[in-house]
Structures are given as C-alpha cells and as structure tokens.
C-alpha cells in the first residue's frame, strides 16, 4: 500500500503565500513563478508544487505573540505534486516543520485533503470505498476530532446514497457516477459541486481530476499527524482496492478504542513504523487504555 501514489493539500495561515513558496523553493531547491498572487514551485525533478488562495480560510497572523486578523495574502493552500510514501514522506515532513518554523499555523478553518490515484480503481473498489467509509463513520469522526466549523466541508456520507449504491450494485463507472450525483441539480462539471464536501469525495474522480479525495482531516502543521493521515488514507485505499467486497453495516461498538485498534490491525497498521500513527488515531477514543495491542509477526 505504501507504493501507491497520492497528493496532499495543506491549508494554513500565519504566513503569506509568497513566504510559503519561498520556504518550499528553498527546501526543494526549486524555482518560483508568481501567477497573479498564487505561486508555482518547480523542483529539479520536474514536479510542481502550488501555493494558492483558499476562500474558506480565516486569515490570521501573529503579532506580539497573539493571533490577529490578517489580509487575504495570508490564505495559504499548499498543493503537492504526485508523491509516494516511501520516496517522499521524510522530505514532506521536513517541509511541514519548516513552514511552521517560518510562522505558519493551522486554525480551526484549515483542513488537510489527501488525493489517491484514481487510475488504480475499478467500479468494485469505489463501491468498497463508499462502504468502508460509511461503516466506520462514527469511529473516524471521533478519532480524528474534526472541528465543528469544518463539518460542512467534510460531511458524513449520506445513508440514502449508500443504500442506492448497494441496492443497484453498479458495475460501471457511469452507474456509480449517476448514483453519486442523484439528487443534485447543479451541473456535474462544476468544480465546486456540493457533492464534493464529504469525508469521501468522488466528485474529484468524475470531474477530470481523476482522484479519490479524503477530506476528513483537521488542518495541522504537526508532521507526525500528517504522516498519520497519509498512512490512514493509503490503508483505507488499499482495503478498498484489494478486498473482494466491503459491507456498509456499522458494527456495534462498546469499546471504541479496542474497535479502532482491531480495525487498524486488519488494514495493515502493523509494526514499529505504525506505532505512533496508531496512537494518534486511538488517543481521543473512549475505551480501555489497558488493552494492549498485539503485534503480528
């Protein structure tokens, strides 16, 4: 699962887009191009990072140790090129640390979005993904502590959509697309289509971007949390791709912490590399902290 491609969008404030672009360029030895107040940083390997305006961000900066309102140049969204975990995670984490050191921070209006390679997917795996997210909605929202002010941008999947998906059992992308957009009246080609504002966004898959987007992550410049979010996205993506089928049934959960650990074990969160990410994901869940996760050989 760690070899699959992904991209990440990191929303923040505290520094200007120009400053963020300079930090990226210095870290990656890239060149900067100003595009009407947004920026592109091209690295020696030919990949391009973008630093763009996001209208949903509450812009702030620090003055005398206090956070104060700031102009729109402090609205910063970093959009990565195509990345892989094994090759890029260490550099990405170091970049995040440098952005924070430069004065960047995430407030409650900021989010993290992770895009997964849609070319890997089939109609079966997309239906699996819908069922995986829906069946674990409660655990995921509790674990990730999604900011209330961000819920409108990463809503839970609609029960009726999931019911339609499993009743019709679509076998083509066109059938899944029709189910996804059922009940919406705006054009499917609209970039900011209302259907995109869910934890799982398939609008990005159907609207030319060609990715499956996960939006259910609070904004942060904590490098360890960002690694956790990426690993969780890759693990769920791998589960959707490799399982023959996935149920939408929500399991009865008496001990959320135990349930999350058990599920993480099932989807590959095993071994020393996953130790800290596991702890990030169970930290806010209720349940027995005394139960010890059993590693598999």
């Amino acid at each position: 699962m760690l070899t699959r491609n992904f991209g990440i969008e990191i929303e923040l404030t505290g520094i200007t887009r120009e400053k963020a672009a300079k930090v990226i360029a210095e870290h990656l030895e890239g060149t900067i191009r100003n595009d009407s107040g947004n920026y592109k940083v091209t690295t020696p390997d030919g990949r391009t990072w973008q630093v763009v305006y996001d209208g949903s961000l509450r812009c702030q900066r620090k003055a005398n140790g206090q956070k104060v309102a700031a102009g729109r140049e402090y609205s910063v969204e970093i959009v990565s090129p195509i990345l892989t975990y094994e090759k890029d995670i260490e550099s990405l984490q170091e970049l995040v640390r440098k952005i924070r050191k430069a004065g960047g921070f995430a407030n409650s209006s900021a989010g993290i979005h992770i895009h997964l390679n849609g070319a890997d997917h089939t109609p079966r795996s997309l239906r699996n993904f819908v069922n995986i997210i829906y069946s674990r909605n409660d655990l995921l929202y509790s674990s990730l502590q999604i900011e209330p002010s961000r819920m409108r941008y990463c809503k839970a999947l609609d029960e009726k959509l999931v019911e339609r998906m499993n009743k019709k059992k679509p076998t083509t992308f066109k059938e899944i697309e029709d189910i996804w957009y059922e009940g919406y009246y705006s054009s499917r080609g609209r970039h900011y289509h209302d259907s995109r504002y869910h934890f799982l966004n398939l609008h990005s898959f159907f609207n030319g971007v060609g990715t499956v987007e996960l939006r259910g992550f609070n904004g942060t410049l904590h490098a360890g949390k960002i690694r956790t979010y990426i690993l969780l996205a890759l693990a769920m993506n791998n589960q959707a791709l490799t399982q023959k089928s996935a149920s939408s049934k929500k399991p009865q959960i008496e001990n959320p912490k135990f349930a999350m650990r058990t599920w993480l074990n099932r989807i590959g969160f095993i071994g020393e590399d996953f130790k800290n990410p596991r702890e990030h994901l169970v930290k806010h869940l209720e349940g027995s902290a005394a139960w010890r996760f059993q590693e598999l050989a």
Side-chain angles (χ1 to χ4, degrees):
M1 71 181 178
L2 299 184
T3 61
R4 298 190 187 277
N5 294 340
F6 71 92
I8 188 168
E9 299 170 359
I10 303 173
E11 298 172 354
L12 62 122
T13 189
I15 59 175
T16 64
R17 290 188 293 282
E18 181 180 14
K19 177 65 175 178
K22 288 180 178 178
V23 173
I24 295 169
E26 181 179 350
H27 174 64
L28 298 173
E29 300 180 349
T31 57
I32 301 175
R33 180 162 66 89
N34 185 339
D35 185 13
S36 302
N38 295 322
Y39 296 83
K40 293 183 178 180
V41 179
T42 303
T43 58
D45 62 7
R47 293 189 290 183
T48 298
W49 294 70
Q50 298 183 64
V51 184
V52 299
Y53 170 81
D54 187 308
S56 68
L57 282 166
R58 186 174 74 257
C59 297
Q60 294 179 299
R61 61 181 178 85
K62 287 185 178 178
N64 300 318
Q66 301 293 318
K67 293 179 181 179
V68 299
R72 301 314 293 169
E73 67 271 24
Y74 284 82
S75 172
V76 181
E77 180 178 339
I78 298 172
V79 182
S80 81
I82 296 172
L83 305 173
T84 62
Y85 183 86
E86 293 180 331
K87 292 182 179 180
D88 297 307
I89 190 62
E90 290 184 6
S91 178
L92 176 62
Q93 287 188 277
E94 185 59 26
L95 172 60
V96 168
R97 295 184 187 105
K98 288 180 177 180
I99 291 288
R100 185 175 63 191
K101 185 176 181 180
F105 58 86
N107 57 29
S108 61
S109 69
I112 300 282
H113 305 152
I114 298 173
H115 289 262
L116 302 156
N117 185 9
D120 295 336
H121 279 277
T122 66
R124 174 190 58 80
S125 64
L126 288 185
R127 182 179 163 209
N128 282 351
F129 221 149
V130 167
N131 285 336
I132 289 166
I133 296 295
Y134 182 75
S135 65
R136 305 290 168 176
N137 263 341
D138 296 340
L139 265 183
L140 288 169
Y141 280 81
S142 296
S143 169
L144 296 168
Q145 297 281 286
I146 299 171
E147 291 282 355
S149 59
R150 291 198 59 252
M151 288 298 292
R152 60 173 292 197
Y153 298 110
C154 52
K155 295 176 286 189
L157 284 175
D158 182 69
E159 182 178 1
K160 292 182 179 178
L161 180 147
V162 178
E163 288 177 352
R164 293 195 301 269
M165 192 76 70
N166 290 299
K167 182 178 180 180
K168 295 182 180 180
K169 296 180 173 56
T171 59
T172 67
F173 288 132
K174 180 60 168 62
E175 289 175 315
I176 292 179
E177 181 179 356
D178 289 342
I179 293 169
W180 179 262
Y181 290 111
E182 187 173 332
Y184 292 98
Y185 299 101
S186 56
S187 169
R188 297 182 184 186
R190 182 181 177 188
H191 179 71
Y192 293 107
H193 193 274
D194 286 345
S195 70
R196 73 196 294 262
Y197 299 114
H198 291 85
F199 192 114
L200 174 68
N201 170 27
L202 295 186
H203 178 62
S204 62
F205 181 87
F206 296 119
N207 193 37
V209 179
T211 64
V212 176
E213 183 187 22
L214 295 178
R215 301 173 56 87
F217 308 106
N218 288 332
T220 183
L221 290 179
H222 185 296
K225 288 183 179 179
I226 288 179
R227 182 166 76 97
T228 295
Y229 298 159
I230 291 169
L231 283 172
L232 179 61
L234 289 171
M236 290 192 294
N237 187 54
N238 188 64
Q239 184 185 14
L241 288 164
T242 57
Q243 277 191 191
K244 185 176 180 180
S245 62
S247 173
S248 64
K249 184 178 180 180
K250 295 187 177 185
Q252 288 187 331
I253 297 175
E254 297 179 358
N255 185 337
K257 186 167 290 188
F258 179 87
M260 175 61 86
R261 287 184 180 272
T262 302
W263 179 54
L264 291 176
N265 176 44
R266 285 181 51 206
I267 64 176
F269 266 61
I270 301 167
E272 190 64 26
D273 287 347
F274 293 89
K275 181 179 179 180
N276 287 338
R278 281 197 304 269
E279 295 310 312
H280 280 308
L281 291 170
V282 302
K283 179 179 179 181
H284 299 289
L285 295 175
E286 297 180 354
S288 174
W291 182 81
R292 188 173 182 81
F293 182 69
Q294 298 297 316
E295 301 287 358
L296 298 184

